[in-house]
Amino acid sequence: MQHTLENTQSPVDAAICSRRSMRAFTAQAVARADLEHILEVASRAPSGTNCQPWKVYVLQGATRDALVHRVCAAHDALRADPSLAEQYKEEYDYYPQKWVSPYIDRRRENGWGLYGLLGIGKGDRDQMHLQHQRNFRFFDAPVGLMFTVDRAMGRGSLVDYGCFLQSIMVAARGMGLHTCPQAAWNGFSSIVLPLIAAGPDEMLVCGMSLGYADESALVNTFDTPRVPVKDFTHWLD
Ligand SMILES: Cc1cc2nc3c(=O)[nH]c(=O)nc-3n(C[C@H](O)[C@H](O)[C@H](O)COP(=O)(O)O)c2cc1C
C-alpha cells in the first residue's frame, strides 16, 4: 500500500501533520515541566557545527501582559500616525523587499483566505487591524515565546533556527499543545528586546504563541494548501 498522509502509521508524521498555526487559544495554563520538556526535545535540533545559536525567552503572567499592552498600544499608534514606522522596523528581511510570483500569489491567497473565513472584507480596515493585532495578544495564549540570535552569527544561523522552531512546534503537539510562529513581532523589536532584557548583541528572530487551542474558534478551522511534491521536486536519475 502506498503511504499517504491519510493512512500514515508513523507517529512522527502524525505529529508533523497535526501541527497548524492556531490563532485562538484557551486560558488553560501550560505546566512548566511541559515547557521544559518541549525545549529539551527541541534542543536536539541540528545546527551547523553544533553552534546551537538559539536563545529563548518564555513570557507568562505579568511580563507577557506588559508586552501585550505595550505592543498593542504601539500598533494602534502606528496606525494613527504612519510616520512612526521609522521606529518600528524589522532588523532583518523576513520577507522580500520586492515580491514576485508565485510567492506573492500564495501570500495573497493565505491572507484573503484567513480574512474571508472570518468575514472580513477587503475594505474593512478596522477589522483587519483588530485581527492583525491578535498577533500582539499572542492570540490569547498564556505562553509567549521570543527567540533571539547573536548578531555576530551568519545567515546560516537562521537556517538552524528553522530546525529548532519546527522541533518546538512538533514537540508541542506531543504534549497536546498547539503553536503559532509569529514574524509579526519583528517590527516591534525596539519594544520587545528591552522588555525581555535581551542584550545589545541580540536580534529578534521571531515570536511564537503556545497553549491549548480553542477548538471551538472558527479561525482555527483555517486550512492551508500545499504545493504537490511533484511541483517542487526534481528527480535527477
Ligand atoms: C517563521 C514564521 C513566521 C510566521 N509569522 C506569522 C505571524 O506573524 N502571524 C500569523 O498569524 N502567522 C504567522 N505564520 C504562520 C503562517 O502563516 C503559516 O505557517 C502558513 O500559513 C501555513 O499554515 P499552517 O502553519 O497552519 O500549516 C508564520 C510562520 C512562520 C514559519
Side-chain angles (χ1 to χ4, degrees), residues 19-21 23 94-95 110 114 135 139 165 169 180-185 206 222 224 226:
R19 186 214 56 79
R20 285 165 173 218
S21 295
R23 298 184 178 86
Y94 180 75
Y95 292 113
N110 194 257
L114 185 65
N135 271 288
F139 301 108
L165 294 169
M169 294 187 279
C180 185
Q182 297 175 273
W185 291 98
C206 67
F222 188 52
T224 52
R226 292 296 189 271

Side-chain angles (χ1 to χ4, degrees), residues 20-127:
R20 285 165 173 218
S21 295
M22 291 298 183
R23 298 184 178 86
F25 292 84
T26 70
Q28 186 180 343
V30 181
R32 166 84 176 241
D34 289 355
L35 290 169
E36 283 180 4
H37 177 78
I38 289 165
L39 292 171
E40 193 178 349
V41 170
S43 76
R44 299 304 308 173
S47 58
T49 63
N50 204 18
C51 280
Q52 305 166 69
W54 34 80
K55 192 161 180 182
V56 183
Y57 295 84
V58 183
L59 285 83
Q60 303 177 90
T63 314
R64 173 209 173 280
D65 295 349
L67 183 69
V68 166
H69 181 75
R70 296 269 304 273
V71 174
C72 285
H75 183 235
D76 285 340
L78 184 58
R79 187 179 180 209
D81 180 3
S83 74
L84 295 174
E86 274 300 305
Q87 292 174 34
Y88 301 121
K89 283 194 172 150
E90 295 183 339
E91 290 192 81
Y92 72 98
D93 287 338
Y94 180 75
Y95 292 113
Q97 297 275 347
K98 188 173 168 358
W99 283 94
V100 295
S101 240
Y103 314 108
I104 182 66
D105 314 307
R106 292 177 193 157
R107 175 178 168 82
R108 286 193 180 125
E109 182 189 0
N110 194 257
W112 292 123
L114 185 65
Y115 285 141
L117 175 70
L118 300 174
I120 302 174
K122 292 198 177 181
D124 199 344
R125 302 214 163 268
D126 290 345
Q127 285 305 315

